[in-house]
Amino acid sequence: MQTISVPPPPTTPTTDTPTAGAAAASPPAVEAGRADHMTAAEFDEAFTAVMPRLRRRLLALTGDPHDADDLLQETYVRLSHRARARTLARQQQPYAYTCAAALNLLRDSWRHPARREHCTDRLPERGWDGGFATREAESAAASLLSGLSPKEAAAVILVDIEGLTHDMAGERLGAHRGTVQRNRMRGLAKMRAALDAYETGATTVSTTKAMKATKPMKAAKPMAAARGAKAA
């Protein structure tokens, strides 16, 4: 009996075999989403174009150019921060969008009165420089007083620094009020001459000429008195 051999069936390709099209990588979804958002350069260009019109609108609403400028700047800062973070969507009407953002900020300031400026008759606190200005004034006064005679310096200190009258200063110094007044005026004349030399850069100053041009005056501080004598 003859045996017949049957060939095996042909093999078919399975569906698990990868294809060339499936191997291609698709672009990230994040980059596709960012294409719909404005860049920082695009926002700056759009805001610059609508800024004059937007400022006129804000000026009409606030009635104060300073308030309008502050609101315009705050609007730019808010939107610019979003543009640089790539979270600001592209707008077909940039003016309408920026105007709406500015109005929201304006309404927010109206809802919170504490954020608005208020008029007051109280002066702001002065900044403290660590006492440098006081020390500098004391050093300058001591330098000016060092150029006076003891009697002249005593008269200037008692009258112009301590605020005594010529009679009270005369009683303390044991001299007549006229003597105290003359010593004080000589001292102020020398101090004024020293200030002139310092301001003009002169090397020599005639004290006698300065004494002739001096007029009687009352000053609270020696430097102020000397400058007052110059103005007189």
Side-chain angles (χ1 to χ4, degrees), residues 58-139:
L58 297 179
L59 181 59
L61 292 174
T62 59
D64 188 348
H66 302 288
D67 293 341
D69 291 338
D70 292 341
L71 188 58
L72 184 67
Q73 180 179 5
E74 187 174 359
T75 303
Y76 171 79
V77 171
R78 294 287 185 89
L79 297 181
S80 177
H81 179 73
R82 293 182 55 189
R84 279 158 175 75
R86 298 301 298 271
T87 59
L88 183 62
R90 298 182 184 276
Q91 304 296 326
Q92 296 181 355
Q93 299 293 334
Y95 169 74
Y97 183 80
T98 54
C99 185
L103 293 179
N104 290 334
L105 293 175
L106 181 60
R107 282 193 296 265
D108 186 60
S109 65
W110 289 342
R111 293 171 184 173
H112 302 278
R115 299 182 180 180
R116 291 185 293 174
E117 296 181 356
H118 299 277
C119 298
T120 178
D121 57 349
R122 299 181 59 184
L123 296 176
E125 297 182 359
R126 293 183 178 180
W128 187 60
D129 60 349
F132 177 78
T134 302
R135 296 294 181 269
E136 186 180 15
E138 292 176 354
S139 177

